[in-house]
Amino acid sequence: GENVEQHPSTLSVQEGDSAVIKCTYSDSASNYFPWYKQELGKGPQLIIDIRSNVGEKKDQRIAVTLNKTAKHFSLHITETQPEDSAVYFCAARLTSNEKLTFGTGTRLTIIP
Amino acid sequence: DAGITQSPRYKITETGRQVTLMCHQTWSHSYMFWYRQDLGHGLRLIYYSAAADITDKGEVPDGYVVSRSKTENFPLTLESATRSQTSVYFCASSDSRRSGGTEAFFGQGTRLTVV
């Protein structure tokens, strides 16, 4: 089955700086890569996603890049703000079904 | 209200007892999932369902039972709870056949403590 590794497990950045979280996946048949943000006491919520036919996608301060050859994808958050503090999960999904395999999460802390 | 709801939000049970966690979604999504969240492990898939009466095991199914007699409900039962099943449980639903519908939506979670 699919295996997703995520790094780092914790990340602290100064407010206004950029944050980068990286994930690798094992199954070349995966074609959909979402990123979820989880705030304290809540369920994960989708913030951005990318399909395997696209190399990069941006949504305001958030961007995701995908390298299919290397089987890794990254989340980039620019101009970080205190409300960006949360746990972030990457995930991968095979073409054959809708199961998501998640990374182990990154706790991002924005230092004011 | 529309969305995906889990109940209860918090539950304390004793070792050996049976406990059922409920999940209800109002979108008629075909797929539903149960994940458990533990420190250092992220979200691990317990069971999932592609449609009513169709269920399949995920990564960590031992000790759990699911059913899906109706599209909107997907209860998770711990037949004989153990301390290792203390966790936060999340239900999710998705349906990529729908227009723009690739996203999986998560409930608020159920924090289960087995004592």
Side-chain angles (χ1 to χ4, degrees):
Chain A
E2 176 64 278
N3 181 53
V4 177
E5 295 189 358
Q6 182 172 348
H7 299 281
S9 57
T10 60
L11 179 62
S12 295
V13 300
Q14 291 289 140
E15 183 178 352
D17 287 350
S18 296
V20 180
I21 302 171
K22 298 181 179 182
C23 289
T24 59
Y25 62 99
S26 61
D27 196 327
S28 56
S30 289
N31 70 338
Y32 174 66
F33 307 91
W35 285 89
Y36 282 80
K37 177 182 181 181
Q38 185 180 26
E39 297 177 338
L40 198 61
K42 297 184 178 181
Q45 190 167 11
L46 181 74
I47 54 171
I48 195 168
D49 56 13
I50 192 168
R51 292 188 175 277
S52 58
N53 58 350
V54 176
E56 184 176 5
K57 184 177 178 181
K58 287 184 180 179
D59 183 2
Q60 299 182 1
R61 297 186 296 108
I62 294 172
V64 57
T65 58
L66 171 65
N67 183 326
K68 284 176 54 180
T69 303
K71 288 192 266 185
H72 65 72
F73 56 113
S74 301
L75 177 71
H76 304 252
I77 305 174
T78 59
E79 300 173 9
T80 54
Q81 301 169 2
E83 54 265 36
D84 294 330
S85 293
V87 178
Y88 291 82
F89 291 98
C90 62
R93 192 179 77 189
L94 294 168
T95 54
S96 55
N97 60 54
E98 295 196 24
K99 287 194 302 179
L100 286 171
T101 300
F102 285 86
T104 50
T106 297
R107 181 174 297 279
L108 175 63
T109 302
I110 307 302
I111 305 165
Chain B
D1 288 343
I4 182 165
T5 55
Q6 294 182 232
S7 61
R9 290 294 311 276
Y10 304 92
K11 176 75 177 177
I12 299 174
T13 192
E14 294 179 340
T15 301
R17 290 197 179 264
Q18 182 181 84
V19 60
T20 296
L21 310 184
M22 305 301 293
C23 180
H24 175 79
Q25 52 108 352
T26 60
W27 296 300
S28 298
H29 283 170
S30 58
Y31 275 83
M32 295 188 74
F33 309 86
W34 275 106
Y35 290 88
R36 60 177 289 174
Q37 183 174 20
D38 304 287
L39 208 58
H41 292 280
L43 292 155
R44 292 182 292 175
L45 183 64
I46 304 170
Y47 269 96
Y48 68 102
S49 168
D53 297 322
I54 301 174
T55 62
D56 208 347
K57 296 178 180 180
E59 182 185 353
V60 288
D62 293 345
Y64 303 95
V65 174
V66 293
S67 62
R68 195 161 176 213
S69 56
K70 293 183 178 181
T71 299
E72 61 267 28
N73 296 324
F74 191 39
L76 176 74
T77 297
L78 288 67
E79 293 188 298
S80 178
T82 65
R83 289 196 180 89
S84 64
Q85 293 177 310
T86 292
S87 186
V88 180
Y89 291 85
F90 286 100
C91 179
S93 72
S94 69
D95 194 337
S96 60
R97 299 169 306 174
R98 293 173 175 262
S99 175
T102 52
E103 179 177 356
F105 294 88
F106 283 79
Q108 292 282 73
T110 295
R111 182 175 293 276
L112 176 68
T113 302
V114 183
V115 297

